[in-house]
Amino acid sequence: MLLKAFGFRADRGVNTSIADDFTVCGTWTVTDLEFFAYQVNGTTPTITGVYVRIWDKDPRTFGAVTVYPGGFGDPWSPNLIGGLPVFHSYRALTSSILSATREVQAIKVPVSITLAPATYWMEVQFSGDISLSGPWIPPVTKLGCRKTGDAILNSTSNVAGTWNLIDNSNTSDPAGIALPFRVYGVAVGGSTADASTYGVGKLGSNGVGAWDLGSPVHQPVLGSVFPMTLRNGIPGSVPVVLLSASACTFAIPCATLFVCPPFVQFTMPPFDSSNTSMGHIEIPHGTTYCGVTVYLQAFWADSGASCNFGHSDGLKIRLGD
């Protein structure tokens, strides 16, 4: 996975903004929003303003209106800066991993918003030091996932807009990116995203087949991309993943079935030289999926295992907000 762009411009000075969708399963009382931006060669906090709109649907859709600040026309929130930005990290490419010219600022701003269950679009732009390039927004990145979302860029920052899907600037193999932001407050009801393993994978040539959920554990949030890392396979062997709406522990010849009955199957990338396969699942948006739970298990060829195949433990993922 290689992103060729450092970031994407969301600059009030040149009328550009970025929007991305998110799903609310319960009722959110929002007290703060946190965004992330950088300006090239900034050595002190440089972001001076944050401007936000929250849309009731895709802003490219006819009839879309803002629920924050609210109304028709072209309302933007006032300058929402809540204090000096905090330096958060550096944005760098894998080809220049030690670059320190793009220090990412985390900007937390106070708001007062109540959101009912629905899918919304968060749009943001910044003002900053006019002597520096930007402000720019770094993309969400997840190891092993080229696509992380479906954020769009508005090059005129008006209601009609000139919206375009953002990709990672790899024209030979484009993939959408996600806008990084955090929402703080109180959630009532809803469905908490969760992932866990169950059962025990089969012992193969390189150990017991196992899912690695990361630390902290990756969460299958609606509208996001859920990374899947499978370990202890055979280099070059392709894992076939079975998916079901139910879990089980059912003995089959030379193995144990942990998904009953499997009704969907897909493949992951071949295991690499470290006996690891890294793939992902794209989690859909929509309140219809709040709380939906699915179960997965992978099988692959392994000439050194009994019956010439290995398998993973079970993987349970619960979709939520």
Side-chain angles (χ1 to χ4, degrees), residues 6 48 99 106 137 169 252 277:
F6 283 101
T48 58
S99 173
I137 294 179
S169 297
I252 59 176
S277 173

Side-chain angles (χ1 to χ4, degrees), residues 237-239 267-272 276-280:
S237 187
V238 176
T267 60
M268 290 178 60
F271 287 103
D272 61 21
T276 300
S277 173
M278 299 180 66
H280 67 273

Side-chain angles (χ1 to χ4, degrees), residues 8-18 33-39 46-52 76 79-81 85 104-109 123-130 134-138 157 179-181:
F8 302 90
R9 197 165 188 177
D11 182 355
R12 190 170 181 81
V14 295
N15 292 323
T16 57
S17 60
I18 293 175
L33 299 172
E34 188 173 34
F35 300 97
F36 304 87
Y38 67 84
Q39 292 194 263
T46 63
I47 301 301
T48 58
V50 183
Y51 299 81
V52 177
W76 277 98
N79 184 328
L80 288 177
I81 200 78
V104 179
Q105 300 167 54
I107 312 103
K108 191 174 182 180
V109 294
E123 182 184 6
V124 64
Q125 62 179 195
F126 305 92
S127 57
D129 186 335
I130 61 174
W136 304 84
I137 294 179
S157 292
L179 167 69
F181 64 91

